[in-house]
Amino acid sequence: MKQPDLQPPDPPPPPMPDLAALADDVLAEILLRVPSPEDLARASASCASFHRVASSPRFLRRFRALHAPPPFGVFCCRSDGGAGFHPALPPHASAPAARALARSADFSFAFLPPPCDAWLVRDCRDGRFLLDRPLADSTAFTEVAVCDPLFRRYRILPPIPEDLTASVENPYVQSGGDGELQSRSCEIFLASHGDEIVSKEEPPYTVIWMACCRGKLVAFCFTSESQQWGALSPPEHYALSTRRVMGVRLGHRNHAHGCFYWMVALSRRWLVLDTQKMEFFIADISPVLSGRTMMFSNQITTLESRDGRTAVVVSDVFRTDKRCVLYFYSFKYFSDRWQLLNRIILPEEWGYRFRGIIGVDEECLFIKLDHDKESLRDQIEQNVEYFRLDVKTMQIGCFCRTNSLTVNEAYLYCGLAPSLSLPSVLSKPSRTDMGLASHSQD
């Protein structure tokens, strides 16, 4: 008698998906596609489930990798040692979040090791600030701190090893004056790594240290991942010879697509640092500067185009008609011939007020204007104003203002709303701020 075929038992049904987790994943994909950080802030405030997803660290790292943080205001450093944050003014879209940032963050940096008035702001990038203070009467080798004023966190960098500092001989003063507390013979600044921001709990960063010595440049770099200093090799070029090296104003630098640019005075050349390769080189830009008087390094500005090209703005301010004209060029590779894209004549009354471009945001320029002549004798109305120029639409609008006439340095601050921000420095907060900063670890 034939035995009946024995069929294997049916496999158990697959476990039911976690509908709540699935719903959050779908919602996250939707929120990633909102047009701007301002729209995300409004969506997050609309209901609890939106806020839960939009404020999660994993989502925020993904969102920031896709959307450039908008400008929130300008941080100004004065010649008397004071400093302050000036938020964006209405009707700018960032104005509400900028006011919230001004209330929440400590831009006095009182959380740094005392005395706090010894610290000098040197750079600002990706929500982080870089500050330093003198050590042992040296204006070249200073104590350096990377900090997050919103979450009141900081990290003191280790000193540069002696085998590296031995190459620094009689560096020229780059800022301040001899004997002043703010005098510095070095330039330090931050470089970010945007391509790694999604996978890292703390987005990595690099600190670059540079000095101009007699006949040479010296440069070191510190990475947050290795926690070590290393030497960089600036190029050997006649533009950086003994006679010309003092003409490299390291504080006036531009940045686009991972490269930093400095004008080498009297040579119509750029000193370029490619932070992807950590290599220096010299670029000849004399063809586009022909016929124009270039007396200040902030007359040339770089910004990033969405197509991967670098846009260059040349400010022609020394004209017989007293007008200020901006020339827009574009290139993708340094071997390319620059293309002239546009020529903009700024308002006539700006001719004597124009003091340079202090920052860029995607395809917008932020321009510094001194007070107008009518307010020369009015101490209340002597405002320094910062305007936003959209290079696509050519629309101009006031961004923010300060009543200080002695602004030495101005940094464009970009970020997300405080309710949607993550700490950019993950060191432990100081004891006095434990209660205030503990919520940022939730």
Side-chain angles (χ1 to χ4, degrees):
M1 183 175 177
K2 186 178 180 181
Q3 296 292 330
D5 294 335
L6 298 177
Q7 298 292 332
D10 293 335
M16 291 292 292
D18 186 339
L19 295 180
L22 181 60
D24 283 356
D25 290 342
V26 173
L27 181 57
E29 294 300 323
I30 295 173
L31 292 176
L32 281 173
R33 289 163 172 78
V34 300
S36 68
E38 294 89 354
D39 293 322
L40 177 66
R42 285 190 287 268
S44 174
S46 64
C47 69
S49 59
F50 281 24
H51 179 74
R52 182 183 69 253
V53 173
S55 60
S56 68
R58 180 175 179 272
F59 173 85
L60 288 173
R61 285 193 288 269
R62 293 180 63 196
F63 185 86
R64 185 155 182 167
L66 297 173
H67 302 267
F72 276 9
V74 176
F75 184 89
C76 298
C77 301
R78 303 193 306 270
S79 58
D80 60 2
F85 174 73
H86 303 277
L89 299 173
H92 194 275
S94 297
R99 290 194 300 269
L101 175 69
R103 292 192 299 266
S104 303
D106 181 2
F107 288 109
S108 69
F109 306 102
F111 54 90
L112 289 177
C116 62
D117 59 355
W119 293 96
L120 180 65
V121 174
R122 307 300 303 276
D123 196 16
C124 170
R125 186 176 299 276
D126 299 330
R128 301 185 187 95
F129 279 78
L130 186 69
L131 298 91
D132 74 344
R133 62 180 178 180
L135 282 178
D137 299 325
S138 172
T139 60
F141 303 111
T142 55
E143 185 176 26
V144 181
V146 179
C147 69
D148 183 333
L150 178 58
F151 292 90
R152 293 164 171 77
R153 297 171 182 266
Y154 67 89
R155 179 174 295 172
I156 303 295
L157 302 191
I160 302 174
E162 291 184 0
D163 62 325
L164 298 180
T165 61
S167 62
V168 181
E169 300 174 337
N170 301 319
Y172 297 117
V173 172
Q174 288 291 324
S175 61
D178 293 333
E180 295 182 5
L181 183 63
Q182 298 183 45
S183 178
R184 297 290 188 274
S185 300
C186 67
E187 182 63 24
I188 54 175
F189 56 95
L190 289 161
S192 58
H193 301 269
D195 56 335
E196 302 179 36
I197 197 170
V198 177
S199 59
K200 300 291 184 179
E201 183 179 6
E202 178 185 38
Y205 59 87
T206 299
V207 176
I208 309 294
W209 185 101
M210 297 176 63
C212 288
C213 299
R214 186 174 179 82
K216 66 178 181 179
L217 286 175
V218 183
F220 310 125
C221 69
F222 172 90
T223 64
S224 59
E225 295 173 303
S226 70
Q227 293 292 303
Q228 293 181 342
W229 288 95
L232 301 178
S233 299
E236 295 183 3
H237 193 276
Y238 78 90
L240 304 178
S241 65
T242 301
R243 183 172 60 88
R244 295 180 181 271
V245 73
M246 289 185 66
V248 181
R249 291 298 306 275
L250 297 178
H252 296 292
R253 61 186 173 274
N254 291 297
H255 176 266
H257 296 301
C259 289
F260 288 93
Y261 303 86
W262 296 265
M263 278 291 296
V264 182
L266 307 179
S267 70
R268 296 177 180 263
R269 285 172 171 80
W270 262 341
L271 170 66
V272 185
L273 170 60
D274 184 340
T275 60
Q276 303 299 323
K277 301 177 181 179
M278 282 300 168
E279 294 178 355
F280 286 92
F281 59 92
I282 297 292
D284 184 1
I285 59 173
S286 57
V288 299
L289 301 181
S290 178
R292 300 193 182 100
T293 303
M294 302 296 293
M295 297 193 60
F296 303 107
S297 52
N298 65 352
Q299 286 180 248
I300 188 165
T301 305
T302 59
L303 42 59
E304 298 177 356
S305 297
R306 294 180 180 179
D307 58 1
R309 301 178 68 86
T310 298
V312 183
V313 185
V314 178
S315 307
D316 190 1
V317 295
F318 297 98
R319 297 167 53 91
T320 56
D321 60 3
K322 308 299 182 182
R323 301 293 293 269
C324 180
V325 180
L326 304 183
Y327 294 86
F328 291 78
Y329 297 90
S330 176
F331 69 88
K332 189 173 182 64
Y333 304 104
F334 286 100
S335 58
D336 294 346
R337 181 175 180 178
W338 290 14
Q339 300 175 355
L340 178 61
L341 302 179
N342 205 349
R343 175 179 177 269
I344 301 175
I345 302 177
L346 295 180
E348 183 175 2
E349 63 272 18
W350 284 19
Y352 62 90
R353 299 180 63 194
F354 183 84
R355 291 298 178 269
I357 298 169
I358 61 110
V360 298
D361 168 52
E362 292 189 331
E363 296 181 346
C364 294
L365 305 178
F366 291 84
I367 298 171
K368 177 184 176 182
L369 298 181
D370 272 355
H371 58 280
D372 57 69
K373 291 181 179 179
E374 295 179 357
S375 62
L376 282 174
R377 297 182 180 181
D378 191 336
Q379 296 294 327
I380 298 177
E381 295 298 329
Q382 290 186 3
N383 295 320
V384 173
E385 296 180 292
Y386 297 90
F387 280 75
R388 177 179 180 269
L389 169 63
D390 190 316
V391 298
K392 272 193 171 182
T393 65
M394 296 301 130
Q395 292 183 339
I396 297 175
C398 182
F399 180 62
C400 71
R401 65 172 58 93
T402 171
N403 58 8
S404 173
L405 297 181
T406 56
V407 176
N408 279 1
E409 298 288 344
Y411 302 94
L412 185 67
Y413 182 95
C414 299
L416 296 178
S419 61
L420 298 175
S421 295
L422 294 174
S424 59
V425 177
L426 296 183
S427 62
K428 294 180 179 179
S430 59
R431 289 184 178 180
T432 57
D433 293 300
M434 285 296 288
L436 181 59
S438 61
H439 70 87
S440 64
Q441 300 174 349
D442 295 341

